[in-house]
Amino acid sequence: MKTKSSARRIFAENLRKARLAKKLSQEDLAELSSLHRTYVGSVERAERNVSIDNMERLSAAVGVSLPELLKEGKR
């Protein structure tokens, strides 16, 4: 039986895909979202329990709505 991914993992995977589609480095994304580069990296590795406020900042920076970044199997 396959278990569903956590919201954190789904967000991390979709954020990374969106960042790469925009041809942004983690450093670029960090600058656009006013967050630290190491923080962005840890979010993309699903190591961080990222706040909704920072999720909004990251989604705005990649130009993808937050609900889209939380959809499993999308992007």
Side-chain angles (χ1 to χ4, degrees), residues 17-62:
K17 289 175 187 176
R19 176 180 61 78
L20 293 174
K22 296 274 185 178
K23 298 185 180 357
L24 297 172
S25 67
Q26 286 182 345
E27 189 171 350
D28 294 333
L29 178 55
E31 186 174 320
L32 288 169
S33 60
S34 299
L35 297 168
H36 196 275
R37 180 190 52 78
T38 58
Y39 179 84
V40 170
S42 64
V43 168
E44 285 190 357
R45 290 187 302 275
E47 296 172 347
R48 287 265 177 191
N49 187 13
V50 60
S51 72
I52 291 173
D53 292 340
N54 285 343
M55 291 169 80
E56 287 178 334
R57 291 165 86 169
L58 290 163
S59 69
V62 293

